[in-house]
Amino acid sequence: MILPGNYVRDLLRSAPGAAVTARGWVKTRRDGKNVHFIQLNDGSSPTDLQVVLDEGLVAAEVVAKITTGACLSVEGELVASLGKGQAVELKARTLTVHGAANPEDYPLQKKKHNLETLRPLGHLRARTNTFGAVFRVRNALARAIHKFFQDRGFLYVHTPVISSSDAEGAGSMFQVTALDLDQTARSGEPPDFAQDFFGRRTFLTVSGQLEAEILALAFANVYTFGPTFRAENSNTPRHLAEFYMIEPEMAFCDLKDDQDLAEAFLKSLVEQVLGDCRPDLEFLSKWYEPELFKNLEVVLAGGFERISYTEAVALLQKSGRSWEFPTEWGCDLQSEHERYLTEELIKKPVIVTNYPREIKAFYMRSNDDEKTVAAMDVLVPRIGEIIGGSQREERHDVLLAKIREQAARGMKEEAYWWYLELRRFGGVEHAGFGMGFERMMMYLTGMKNIRDVIPFPRTPGNAEF
RNA sequence: UCCUCAGUAGCUCAAUGGUAGAGCAUUCGGCUGUUAACCGAAGGGUUGUAGGUUCGAAUCCUACCUGAGGAGCCA
């Protein structure tokens, strides 16, 4: 294996004179009269290591196998480069081809491919410069998230992937079953979920929030960071059927604290990734989003704009624009509205709060006006909603009344017995939010399609890799 | 799921009813401490699939498949 200090990233920063072994995959080879140049990369760096191989050092049949995509080990000496473009290069002493990649068949060429062309090549696209940069940012973002919360004393908690709560209509769910569906179909009878593995109907989780509340009422500040599933037939550049979500949940926390945390969170993530991945971001900015750094600096620059839903609607009404969808108090904000607010009118992240209770989930805390709930959405340019959160209803009687209101829509009071009991035993005001990890990735990398910020995207009709 | 657009060589694209082409990639040859290397040549196609219109279809029509963008749902 490659040991610390021996990644291509490390070798590129090493002083000439060291005897080293580099391992990786060939980006391209150029031939001189007496010498071959090999661009080698192990995924650790946006810059390749240039390997210099003297003519005759290895047999011609071996040189012929050093083609784009081939896997090599090269042992030799780091030397100051004679050419431009790199400080050091590796002068090969021995070279081993582990796996050739027949250039007649290998689908990747050394020049630029479309992202759409690469999508069906899920097994190879990670070797490209673009996906190298994107997935290094992904790693740095995950680390930044943990660091932010760990530094604040939050407990990292794990909520179940298999869930029995058919959570408040947060989208269609994937059903999980161990029943023999062929047999069920043949029998002509409806499936008996009492006979299923868990003795009840179960689904893949659409949110760990309700369980996170349990843990927040024991550890005060907690966060989840795990996979989440939506079976919606969504075909957009912003939706996945399987994605990662971060859900902090805080006791002794109201909507104001919730907003403060969300803002500090986004700023910290941008700051950390800018610090950790600048060369990767420069690559992505150059090829995909010239405004990338400008967009990121807007997050750091000043406070986020904070407006109420009521103010937002008023702003939309006096914008002088004709909207495809109505902008009346009580209607949900549409994509076009959110985009106008954050991209055109305010031109920076916006937190919209206190939405009408009818358009928000049952667990959000009712405000004193009885018309709105203590909800917040954080909108950022280009992405739209990146965070959604709320202060939770901690008053047992109010929550129970809301659940009963929704009984007509199929909400079962019994299923929420434990959620209600949390309000009877040591309840306290608490709040939290959810951030889509891949949405944040899109913002940080400038990628326009969410399928290009996750190694193996799950979308309707796509689960190949 | 709805609306719009697209599908031609491995890749990026041209050809608008009349002989399917270019650049890159690939192969071969040449040149060169090269770095999106360069120069020359060659191979490479059932134009997404199935029908239809026409003397003749990549091109027009219908259905389907696949992809992209927009909408809804949301993170």
Side-chain angles (χ1 to χ4, degrees):
Chain A
M1 66 181 283
I2 298 178
L3 296 174
N6 291 283
Y7 293 101
V8 161
R9 173 191 34 185
D10 305 317
L11 301 181
L12 288 168
R13 287 193 297 230
S14 300
V20 300
T21 300
R23 303 171 217 265
W25 291 265
V26 175
K27 281 279 168 57
T28 179
R29 186 190 88 214
R30 295 176 296 274
D31 299 321
K33 182 170 183 154
N34 301 309
V35 74
H36 307 279
F37 299 98
I38 303 158
Q39 298 297 128
L40 196 69
N41 202 301
D42 62 0
S44 64
S45 162
T47 311
D48 304 319
L49 176 68
Q50 173 161 285
V51 173
V52 182
L53 176 67
D54 283 339
E55 177 64 33
L57 192 72
V58 298
E61 307 89 82
V62 175
V63 173
K65 286 184 182 170
I66 306 172
T67 56
T68 303
C71 183
L72 309 183
S73 286
V74 184
E75 177 265 316
E77 187 189 350
L78 278 180
V79 298
S81 181
L82 298 176
K84 287 178 180 157
Q86 58 279 318
V88 294
E89 58 195 18
L90 176 58
K91 181 124 174 99
R93 214 159 51 110
T94 61
L95 181 149
T96 309
V97 177
H98 299 292
N102 185 343
E104 307 245 23
D105 303 330
Y106 189 65
L108 299 182
Q109 54 186 58
K110 57 185 165 186
K111 296 192 82 168
K112 210 179 159 193
H113 288 80
N114 275 347
L115 295 170
E116 291 146 43
T117 304
L118 292 171
R119 242 168 259 154
L121 300 174
H123 57 316
L124 298 171
R125 70 174 187 168
R127 296 184 194 171
T128 63
N129 290 330
T130 296
F131 286 94
V134 167
F135 296 149
R136 282 188 296 272
V137 171
R138 195 176 163 102
N139 171 69
L141 178 59
R143 182 174 54 215
I145 287 163
H146 283 297
K147 180 160 174 26
F148 175 85
F149 288 123
Q150 294 294 326
D151 285 353
R152 281 165 178 73
F154 280 60
L155 199 73
Y156 174 36
V157 299
H158 299 91
T159 51
V161 168
I162 297 175
S163 160
S164 61
S165 72
D166 47 348
E168 45 83 37
S172 316
M173 303 175 82
F174 290 102
Q175 192 162 324
V176 176
T177 183
L179 293 174
D180 182 336
L181 296 179
D182 290 330
Q183 195 183 25
T184 305
R186 276 196 303 274
S187 76
E189 300 290 315
D192 179 8
F193 292 107
Q195 301 304 312
D196 204 347
F197 189 90
F198 297 107
R200 62 202 303 172
R201 250 179 130 149
T202 52
F203 306 88
L204 293 179
T205 183
V206 293
S207 167
Q209 181 202 312
L210 302 192
E211 288 91 350
E213 286 185 49
I214 293 176
L215 298 163
L217 295 181
F219 300 99
N221 293 327
V222 303
Y223 70 105
T224 72
F225 184 176
T228 311
F229 306 87
R230 303 279 162 88
E232 290 290 339
N233 191 3
S234 293
N235 291 288
T236 84
R238 300 183 304 283
H239 290 86
L240 291 166
E242 175 183 294
F243 62 100
Y244 279 73
M245 189 152 66
I246 298 94
E247 295 181 289
E249 192 71 34
M250 298 76 69
F252 315 102
C253 179
D254 62 14
L255 189 65
K256 160 79 165 58
D257 299 329
D258 204 23
Q259 293 175 74
D260 290 346
L261 187 79
E263 180 168 342
F265 182 49
L266 288 181
K267 287 185 170 181
S268 171
L269 300 186
V270 168
E271 199 167 18
Q272 290 186 66
V273 172
L274 273 173
D276 290 352
C277 296
R278 189 161 282 271
D280 289 317
L281 296 177
E282 280 165 358
F283 176 89
L284 294 166
S285 175
K286 180 179 173 190
W287 292 104
Y288 296 100
E289 177 54 71
E291 307 268 271
L292 183 60
F293 285 97
K294 205 181 107 193
N295 290 341
L296 297 181
E297 275 146 21
V298 159
V299 172
L300 301 178
F304 292 5
E305 189 78 14
R306 299 188 187 191
I307 60 175
S308 70
Y309 166 87
T310 304
E311 289 165 334
V313 170
L315 288 171
L316 293 167
Q317 283 173 342
K318 68 180 180 193
S319 68
R321 294 217 170 193
S322 61
W323 303 103
E324 192 183 336
F325 293 92
T327 52
E328 277 170 38
W329 202 97
C331 300
D332 206 355
L333 298 182
Q334 303 294 316
S335 291
E336 58 173 344
H337 305 143
E338 295 180 348
R339 208 170 293 156
Y340 169 77
L341 289 172
T342 184
E343 286 175 8
E344 294 185 51
L345 189 65
I346 300 169
K347 291 185 165 56
K348 64 175 178 176
V350 180
I351 308 180
V352 182
T353 54
N354 297 318
Y355 284 77
R357 54 172 284 174
E358 281 74 23
I359 60 173
K360 287 292 184 183
F362 76 98
Y363 53 73
M364 297 187 178
R365 190 180 195 278
S366 291
N367 288 324
D368 292 342
D369 63 12
E370 308 223 321
K371 284 159 55 187
T372 61
V373 290
M376 67 162 186
D377 282 356
V378 182
L379 314 176
V380 296
R382 256 194 57 233
I383 309 297
E385 184 181 344
I386 200 165
I387 283 177
S390 69
Q391 185 174 340
R392 321 305 189 191
E393 185 56 74
E394 85 283 9
R395 295 162 298 190
H396 184 273
D397 53 334
V398 179
L399 182 64
L400 183 59
K402 281 188 143 185
I403 289 175
R404 286 179 176 167
E405 268 172 40
Q406 310 236 4
R409 282 190 248 164
M411 189 171 237
K412 293 193 192 74
E413 185 179 324
E414 319 83 79
Y416 293 91
W417 68 269
W418 53 264
Y419 195 66
L420 284 159
E421 275 205 1
L422 283 177
R423 275 72 182 167
R424 289 179 55 214
F425 303 127
V428 67
E429 64 174 10
H430 60 289
F433 61 80
M435 182 184 81
F437 185 65
E438 284 78 14
R439 293 262 174 98
M440 189 61 189
M441 277 294 295
M442 291 173 75
Y443 193 69
L444 284 169
T445 60
M447 290 286 106
K448 310 277 186 296
N449 193 312
I450 201 164
R451 293 161 200 153
D452 298 325
V453 298
I454 185 168
F456 309 107
R458 292 288 175 265
T459 54
N462 287 300
E464 180 74 18
F465 301 99

